[in-house]
Amino acid sequence: MSSESIGVALIGCGRIAGHHARAVMDTEGLHLVAVCDLQIDAAQTYGQEFSVPAFDNYRRMLREHPEVAVVAIMTPSGMHYEHAREVIGEFRKSVILEKPAVLKNSQLGDLYEQADTQGLSVFPVFQNRHNFAVQRVKAGLLTDELGALRAFAVRVRWCRPQRYYDLAPWRGTFALDGGALTNQGIHHIDLLRHLGGEVRRVSAKLGTMRANIEVEDIAVAIIEFESGALGTLEVTTAAEPIDYEASVSLVCANGLAQIGGIAVNELQTYSPAEDDCVAFSEDFSESVYGNGHRKIYAQIEECLRAGTDFSVSRADVEGTVRLLNAFYVSDENDGWVDLSAGLESARLGRADEELSDLYRTREDSAMGPGE
């Protein structure tokens, strides 16, 4: 690409969109071109804050702003695939996919193949990998300071009351959301692979204990890693009355590492070098999203300008989506699931055209800047 600043557009203007917009504005070599949301008021809020045009029709946005090179997609999870497919295939733009990227690996493969054909890129967002605490533990594993993994534990004990799910029709549905695993626990599932290595098989049970929703608000699982290490997972949004804990811990041959905090931002235990716990912990009190998005956008700028590889490869994100689906398949089949089978959940991401229509661009929608 040329030395000119690279244009970024946003589709979906929920709470996370502001964090993306600020990350774009803070990244040298990038600039925010426009924002879009089906609810024009939501788009205009960010449009006014960042002094860019606001749209309620992303097709019009991209037609009117051909300078856009990459589009961040932050629509309901189950719509990521459909929206990204059109942005790549019809508008020839690279895409940034907020968690959990997509709900099925078959969708992910199709997006990467389309992007490769067009010479474009797919950038999955797993910002917690960039937290100092996570990177310190990863370094300890790579250098063998921690030694071989023996046991891995994930614990997410959060509270999501009924009013949270009632905010929008897509929430709490298998078609467009997924439950505690897909929405809240996905970053910890990703860290399970990122730090623990590939998983051989899982056995999981899912339940709905608190909210009036069709998806799980509690999941527990036993995990067997390819290395032979064992793991446990407990993810719930049925804790009362507040969020209590979100942590990952690793028992290794040379010591113990535990990361916790509001968003795996505190290195709470690191027995090979306990003094590192202070140096590698971050204060996320001002933003639960931390600083990872800025680091991601800096990488994206470099990838688009210099053609370097993104830190999360296709195989990497496929591994996380495969593991996510394996937990659901295990519950559906009431038994162990081998990850090598690549099975997809019958429930997660299932078709629901009536619900999806609520989040599709209306062809008669034509609001744009100044209207």
Side-chain angles (χ1 to χ4, degrees):
M1 297 187 66
S2 72
S3 59
E4 295 181 358
S5 182
I6 296 168
V8 182
L10 310 184
I11 300 178
C13 289
R15 184 176 67 164
I16 188 63
H19 207 66
H20 278 258
R22 283 182 282 275
V24 173
M25 302 291 280
D26 291 344
T27 303
E28 185 176 355
L30 298 181
H31 70 281
L32 187 63
V33 175
V35 296
C36 179
D37 194 282
L38 286 175
Q39 302 298 320
I40 190 62
D41 290 349
Q44 288 174 336
T45 295
Y46 286 121
Q48 292 167 6
E49 180 178 352
F50 298 103
S51 300
V52 297
F55 293 83
D56 68 353
N57 183 321
Y58 65 83
R59 297 181 184 117
R60 181 183 175 189
M61 177 180 71
L62 295 177
R63 286 194 296 266
E64 292 189 6
H65 293 280
E67 70 272 26
V68 171
V70 58
V71 178
I73 296 175
M74 295 163 287
T75 53
S77 301
M79 297 300 296
H80 288 181
Y81 169 64
E82 183 174 319
H83 290 149
R85 197 175 196 278
E86 184 175 8
V87 169
I88 293 169
E90 299 298 323
F91 294 96
R92 309 296 193 267
K93 312 294 184 185
S94 295
V95 295
I96 300 164
L97 300 176
E98 252 299 342
K99 59 90 177 173
V102 294
L103 299 184
K104 292 181 177 294
N105 256 332
S106 54
Q107 298 171 340
L108 199 59
D110 183 52
L111 292 182
Y112 273 97
E113 288 164 14
Q114 281 211 46
D116 289 346
T117 299
Q118 303 290 345
L120 301 170
S121 299
V122 176
F123 301 109
V125 174
F126 290 113
Q127 79 272 6
N128 288 342
R129 291 186 179 204
H130 296 277
N131 293 356
F132 291 158
V134 172
Q135 293 189 334
R136 180 64 183 94
V137 173
K138 181 69 171 179
L141 292 165
L142 291 175
T143 62
D144 206 36
E145 180 184 41
L146 279 166
L149 179 68
R150 293 175 175 172
F152 197 116
V154 170
R155 290 194 304 272
V156 179
R157 295 166 175 170
W158 285 350
C159 174
R160 294 296 181 272
Q162 187 63 45
R163 62 180 179 275
Y164 165 83
Y165 296 102
D166 292 341
L167 286 171
W170 68 275
R171 292 184 181 273
T173 67
F174 279 114
L176 298 189
D177 188 8
L181 283 174
T182 306
N183 196 320
Q184 287 76 29
I186 186 62
H187 285 298
H188 297 78
I189 291 171
D190 180 65
L191 291 181
L192 190 149
R193 286 188 54 258
H194 183 59
L195 298 175
E198 296 302 333
V199 171
R200 176 176 292 124
R201 60 178 187 153
V202 301
S203 178
K205 293 299 293 183
L206 281 56
T208 307
M209 303 292 184
R210 181 178 188 269
N212 182 25
I213 51 176
E214 66 179 20
V215 296
E216 80 285 353
D217 61 14
I218 185 166
V220 296
I222 303 170
I223 299 151
E224 181 183 339
F225 291 89
E226 288 186 355
S227 66
L230 299 178
T232 60
L233 174 142
E234 175 198 335
V235 177
T236 184
T237 52
E240 297 282 4
I242 59 172
D243 293 349
Y244 288 99
E245 177 184 12
S247 67
V248 297
S249 62
L250 298 83
V251 177
C252 300
N254 298 334
L256 175 70
Q258 179 164 310
I259 309 171
I262 193 169
V264 284
N265 54 297
E266 297 176 5
L267 187 57
Q268 297 173 332
T269 303
Y270 194 78
S271 62
E274 285 288 1
D275 290 345
D276 284 357
C277 290
V278 174
F280 290 91
S281 294
E282 300 171 86
D283 181 5
F284 280 9
S285 58
E286 293 186 3
S287 173
V288 68
Y289 302 116
N291 304 309
H293 284 89
R294 288 182 174 85
K295 297 173 184 178
I296 287 171
Y297 274 95
Q299 275 194 8
I300 289 171
E301 193 275 340
E302 183 180 2
C303 292
L304 292 175
R305 194 175 302 283
T308 56
D309 292 333
F310 191 55
S311 59
V312 181
S313 67
R314 172 178 173 173
D316 202 358
V317 66
E318 284 179 339
T320 293
V321 176
R322 184 181 303 113
L323 178 56
L324 172 67
N325 272 260
F327 290 126
Y328 286 95
V329 173
S330 175
D331 180 67
E332 291 161 7
N333 294 349
D334 195 24
W336 286 91
V337 169
D338 194 316
L339 271 289
S340 65
L343 300 177
E344 293 186 338
S345 168
R347 296 174 294 177
L348 188 62
R350 65 190 180 196
D352 187 331
E353 293 301 309
E354 183 177 356
L355 183 60
S356 296
D357 278 343
L358 298 176
Y359 302 99
R360 289 174 171 141
T361 293
R362 300 178 292 273
E363 289 304 325
D364 61 350
S365 173
M367 293 193 70
E371 298 179 2

